[in-house]
Structures are given as structure tokens and as C-alpha cells.
């Protein structure tokens, strides 16, 4: 059986994409984007880890190519596969033919590409669950890649979270500034207030608030982020108002903050840690203080929180997603008066579109900086996530909560007070 024949055995109907292989076989529309299987090693990856993980391994290792698309942005191919590819379970006889054609050696496990993290169950060497040591290891693996690489992909704002597009033709920088303004306004910040930004990244929200007279402390588990952010604070002359520490949010000694922003951190916390997480943030606020939690969520609250294999092994080790309902419930059970929730998933799809565009424009420099395999991981993951937001398999939800005073007063206006 040829490679194209193997694909036909698991496809319900004609392939919607172009497939070519080392054995000369081919299938699918000639003018469509597609896959090229370069060697039997690719079959080994796919057969030992069926699904997204095996395909990703073959692609990142260079044993399979994506054709008709740029490696920085394979979105057109992924969208075509998601919309039109239908798979079926092969019959027992077809399974035998598949194994015989691929060879028994193709069923033996192979070493994955070096960009892959160890399986979740083997990460105990870095600590159990979401211990400080294990969280620091997971964050460092993803965020301590290269500040130069992030500058090329994220753009001048160095903001690695969903932007807010005020218009369809707004630039990425305009959209990121609008996002920070929305968070600032929802928190009701004023000059002289104290803000804690947990998981602050490179400090874009820290600097946005400090420019407006707010005293800000940002904390991150990434040493490279902290160094970059502190330098940016000095360069802007904001040192008297802003500070970024390489510190776990659980170890912040200060209390009595007027507001806390948590932008893109909850995905790393772990659902079982929500009570402790929101409890600690609640304890850091003064009565009447506000929390804005901005994170990726699922569109429902029933599925397992653990990330899919590709994301868990290559992008966010130990990351977990759940529905916004579970986040709101955890906040309420902590004592927060939840005042507003907003789904911005379309905006995240647009953000990822623009990040992929940046990666494509700077592809050669990015490959020189982090290597082709890592650059391909980023193009694949961002394009796949863009598709997920567009198809409503993942969402981005902001939840605003207030710590009421002893009388239950949250001291908020009768109607929403922000624009955007």
C-alpha cells in the first residue's frame, strides 16, 4: 500500500488537501495546500502518536513538509483540514495492510524532536502538581526562549496576550494599547493608586499604568522577562512608579493594593489551585479593590482541563484550560463580587493573525535566533490557536471582580464605566 493509499484508508471521502510522498504516490487537489511525507521516519512519528502530536513531531523534525503555505503561517492548510477533512476508523483488514505497508519497525517509539517537553507524568523531577519549582520550570521553558525572538513576533509592545481591536483595520500596536486601556479603565485606576500585575510578562501593562501616575508592581517567573521589563522601565524614566520582580505571585509580601491585573496567567495555575490562587489575590486587595482576570477559556465547563498533547508538549507544559463558569465560581467562592464578564475570542484570532504575520516577515532572523524547529513550533501553534478561537473551541474571557467591604459594598457605579 502506498502512502497515499494509507491516507485513503483513514479518510472518509477524497482528501481535501494535496498529499505527496517519498514513494511517488499522491492524492488530493493539485492546487491545494498540503503535506509532503519525506521519508519513512515521518510514518513512524504518525503511527506511534496518531493525531496532532505525531503530525507535529514529523513536521518539526523536518520529516514532513507543509506545502503551499509559509511555515510561519500554516493557517490556510489547518483551516482546510478542519473544515473539510473527515476521518474514519479503518477495518481490521485495513489495519493489517497499513502495518504491513509501513513495516513493523514503524510501530516502535522514536525519540521526539528536541523542542518537545517530557510527558506530563514524567515531570515529577521538577516537582509535583503546580509547585513553585515546577511552575518556574514550565514558565522558563516557554518564556525564556529569546527576548529578540519575542520582539520580532510580538512587535514593539512586547505584549503576549490578546489585543482589543477597536476597528477591523486597527494595527496590532493600536489593539494592544486599547487592551491595556480597557483593563486600566475596568479597574478604575487613578493617579496614586497601587496596582499589582501578576504574570506581568515584559511589563507592558506595568508601564501603561505607570505612565498614568499609578504605582505598579509586576511579578513574573521568567528571569528574561523581568530583566527586559526593568530595562524598559528605566528607559522610560518610570523607575519612581514601576518595578518588575522575578518573583512568584505567591511570594509578594505587600498587601492593600487598589487593584490587581492578571492577564494571561490563570492558564498556568491549574484548576485545582484556583481556590488558593484567587484567595491569595483577594488577600492582597484593600476592601473595594478590584481584580481583572483575563485568560483563555473553554466554551463549556465539562471537559478535562489538561491541554491537548501538542500544546502540552511543545507550547505550554502543565497548562490547563476550563470554562469561564468555573473561573467565576472560584472567584465567587473566594468572596469576590463578580461584576462583569466579557468574551473577546474574535480579538484573539486577530491577534494571532498579526503575530503570524510578524513571524513571517522576520522568518529568516527568527530561524537564525532560535532555530528552524522552534520557529516552526511557533508558526504551527499560533495558526492552530487562531483557528480555535475562530471556531469557538477556545475563548478569551475577562472577568471583573471586587472585594466588598465589611458591609458588602463594592463601591462601583450603577452602570459600566469603561469604553471598549
Amino acid at each position: 500500500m502506498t502512502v497515499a493509499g494509507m491516507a485513503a484508508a483513514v479518510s472518509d471521502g477524497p482528501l481535501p488537501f494535496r498529499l505527496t510522498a517519498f514513494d511517488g504516490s499522491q492524492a488530493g487537489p493539485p492546487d491545494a495546500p498540503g503535506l509532503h511525507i519525506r521519508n519513512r521516519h515521518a510514518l513512524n512519528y504518525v503511527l506511534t502518536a496518531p493525531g496532532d502530536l505525531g503530525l507535529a513531531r514529523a513536521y518539526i523534525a523536518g520529516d514532513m513538509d507543509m506545502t503551499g503555505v509559509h511555515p510561519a503561517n500554516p493557517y490556510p492548510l489547518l483551516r482546510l483540514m478542519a473544515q473539510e477533512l473527515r476521518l474514519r476508523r479503518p477495518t481490521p483488514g485495513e489495519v493489517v495492510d497499513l502495518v504491513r505497508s509501513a513495516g513493523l519497525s514503524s510501530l516502535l517509539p522514536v525519540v521526539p524532536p528536541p523542542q518537545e517537553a517530557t510527558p506530563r507524568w514524567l515531570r515529577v523531577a521538577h516537582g509535583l502538581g503546580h509547585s513553585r519549582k515546577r511552575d518556574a520550570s514550565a514558565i522558563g521553558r516557554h518564556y525564556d526562549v529569546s527576548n529578540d525572538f519575542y520582539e520580532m513576533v510580538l512587535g514593539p509592545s512586547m505584549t503576549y496576550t490578546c489585543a482589543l481591536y477597536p476597528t477591523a483595520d486597527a494595527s496590532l500596536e493600536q489593539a494592544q494599547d486599547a487592551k491595556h486601556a480597557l483593563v486600566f479603565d475596568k479597574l478604575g485606576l487613578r493617579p496614586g493608586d497601587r496596582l499589582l500585575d501578576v504574570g506581568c510578562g515584559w511589563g507592558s501593562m506595568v508601564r501603561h499604568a505607570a505612565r498614568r501616575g499609578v504605582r505598579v508592581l509586576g511579578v513574573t517567573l521568567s528571569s528574561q522577562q523581568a530583566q527586559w521589563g526593568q530595562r524598559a522601565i528605566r528607559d522610560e524614566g518610570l523607575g519612581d512608579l514601576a518595578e518588575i520582580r522575578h518573583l512568584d505571585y505567591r511570594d509578594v509580601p505587600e498587601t492593600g493594593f487598589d487593584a490587581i491585573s492578571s492577564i494571561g496567567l490563570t492558564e498556568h495555575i491549574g484548576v485545582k489551585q484556583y481556590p488558593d490562587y484567587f484567595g491569595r489575590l483577594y488577600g492582597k486587595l484593600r476592601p473595594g479593590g478590584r481584580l481583572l482576570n483575563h485568560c483563555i477559556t473553554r466554551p463549556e465547563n465539562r471537559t478535562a482541563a489538561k491541554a491537548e498533547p501538542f500544546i502540552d508538549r511543545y507550547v505550554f507544559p502543565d497548562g490547563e484550560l476550563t470554562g469561564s463558569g468555573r473561573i467565576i465560581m472560584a472567584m465567587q467562592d473566594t468572596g469576590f463580587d463578580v461584576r462583569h464578564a466579557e468574551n473577546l475570542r474574535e480579538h484573539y484570532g486577530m491577534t494571532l493573525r498579526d503575530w503570524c504575520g510578524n513571524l513571517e516577515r522576520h522568518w529568516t532572523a527568527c530561524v537564525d535566533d532560535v532555530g528552524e524547529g522552534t520557529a516552526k513550533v511557533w508558526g504551527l501553534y499560533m495558526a492552530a490557536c487562531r483557528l480555535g478561537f475562530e471556531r469557538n473551541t477556545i475563548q478569551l474571557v475577562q472577568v471583573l471582580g471586587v472585594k466588598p467591604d465589611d458591609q458588602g459594598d463594592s463601591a462601583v457605579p450603577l452602570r459600566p464605566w469603561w469604553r471598549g
Side-chain angles (χ1 to χ4, degrees):
M1 185 184 297
T2 64
V3 173
M6 295 180 196
V10 297
S11 177
D12 185 9
L15 288 180
F17 60 88
R18 183 66 171 169
L19 176 68
T20 58
F22 62 90
D23 62 357
S25 63
Q26 53 188 289
D31 57 346
L35 302 175
H36 175 65
I37 309 300
R38 301 183 65 178
N39 50 48
R40 289 191 174 275
H41 206 205
L43 298 181
N44 195 301
Y45 278 127
V46 173
L47 292 176
T48 54
D52 65 345
L53 183 59
L55 288 169
R57 284 172 170 169
Y59 173 61
I60 294 162
D63 297 307
M64 182 185 76
D65 296 326
M66 294 187 182
T67 59
V69 292
H70 193 285
N73 188 16
Y75 170 80
L77 173 59
L78 300 183
R79 183 179 61 181
L80 179 64
M81 295 173 71
Q83 291 177 343
E84 299 187 26
L85 179 62
R86 301 292 179 265
L87 299 177
R88 68 177 180 87
R89 185 185 298 275
T91 66
E94 288 172 328
V95 171
V96 172
D97 289 341
L98 283 169
V99 173
R100 183 183 295 117
S101 299
L104 288 175
S105 61
S106 294
L107 299 180
L108 297 176
V110 289
V111 177
Q115 291 80 11
E116 182 170 320
T118 56
R120 190 177 286 243
W121 64 275
L122 284 176
R123 294 176 198 155
V124 292
H126 297 291
L128 297 174
H130 284 269
S131 65
R132 283 170 169 79
K133 180 180 179 182
R134 184 157 161 176
D135 282 349
S137 174
I139 293 297
R141 182 180 180 87
H142 185 73
Y143 294 98
D144 288 341
V145 175
S146 160
N147 283 335
D148 291 339
F149 175 79
Y150 278 108
E151 286 187 53
M152 288 184 281
V153 174
L154 303 181
S157 75
M158 282 293 276
T159 305
Y160 188 28
T161 49
C162 174
L164 177 75
Y165 288 77
T167 61
D169 59 350
S171 69
L172 175 61
E173 292 309 305
Q174 290 171 330
Q176 290 293 11
D177 187 66
K179 185 269 299 297
H180 294 135
L182 178 64
V183 173
F184 188 95
D185 290 346
K186 283 184 175 181
L187 290 173
L189 290 166
R190 295 169 295 184
D193 282 351
R194 296 174 62 226
L195 170 68
L196 172 63
D197 187 27
V198 293
C200 68
W202 292 270
S204 52
M205 183 66 208
V206 170
R207 298 193 307 281
H208 180 94
R211 294 182 198 117
R212 289 153 181 81
V214 174
R215 293 173 292 162
V216 195
L217 170 62
V219 294
T220 173
L221 283 177
S222 167
S223 60
Q224 289 195 28
Q225 287 182 335
Q227 293 167 10
W228 193 100
Q230 273 297 104
R231 185 172 64 251
I233 287 171
R234 290 194 301 270
D235 290 346
E236 287 197 44
L238 298 172
D240 57 334
L241 289 170
E243 177 188 2
I244 293 177
R245 298 178 193 163
H246 179 213
L247 186 69
D248 193 300
Y249 74 92
R250 289 166 284 200
D251 297 327
V252 173
E254 293 91 340
T255 60
F257 289 95
D258 297 288
I260 297 175
S261 51
S262 174
I263 307 174
L265 176 60
T266 318
E267 300 92 329
H268 300 287
I269 295 299
V271 175
K272 290 183 179 179
Q273 281 67 47
Y274 282 0
D276 179 75
Y277 172 64
F278 288 115
R280 289 176 185 271
L281 299 188
Y282 189 87
K284 295 296 179 185
L285 288 167
R286 64 164 176 81
R290 298 172 186 173
L291 165 67
L292 192 287
N293 194 80
H294 167 121
C295 72
I296 301 171
T297 63
R298 298 191 187 277
E300 36 74 29
N301 301 280
R302 298 183 300 273
T303 55
K306 293 180 180 178
E308 288 73 14
F310 167 65
I311 293 293
D312 183 64
R313 301 282 188 93
Y314 284 90
V315 186
F316 295 114
D318 290 340
E320 295 184 5
L321 300 180
T322 188
S324 57
R326 294 181 70 178
I327 292 172
I328 291 172
M329 181 175 68
M331 290 178 63
Q332 290 176 326
D333 288 348
T334 300
F336 281 103
D337 178 16
V338 174
R339 306 299 304 198
H340 188 266
E342 182 175 10
N343 184 355
L344 301 174
R345 69 176 177 89
E346 292 87 356
H347 294 265
Y348 216 154
M350 297 167 72
T351 306
L352 288 155
R353 173 203 65 196
D354 288 347
W355 287 343
C356 281
N358 284 343
L359 179 59
E360 183 171 353
R361 280 187 290 275
H362 299 287
W363 179 253
T364 300
C366 286
V367 169
D368 289 343
D369 189 26
V370 301
E372 185 176 11
T374 297
K376 287 165 73 174
V377 167
W378 276 76
L380 180 60
Y381 121 73
M382 291 194 298
C385 286
R386 174 187 173 185
L387 189 64
F389 284 108
E390 291 176 350
R391 293 173 62 86
N392 197 30
T393 59
I394 45 177
Q395 300 179 342
L396 189 289
V397 176
Q398 288 188 349
V399 180
L400 177 66
V402 184
K403 178 179 180 177
D405 65 17
D406 292 341
Q407 304 302 312
D409 185 6
S410 292
V412 296
L414 293 177
R415 297 297 299 156
W417 52 91
W418 61 86
R419 295 183 301 168

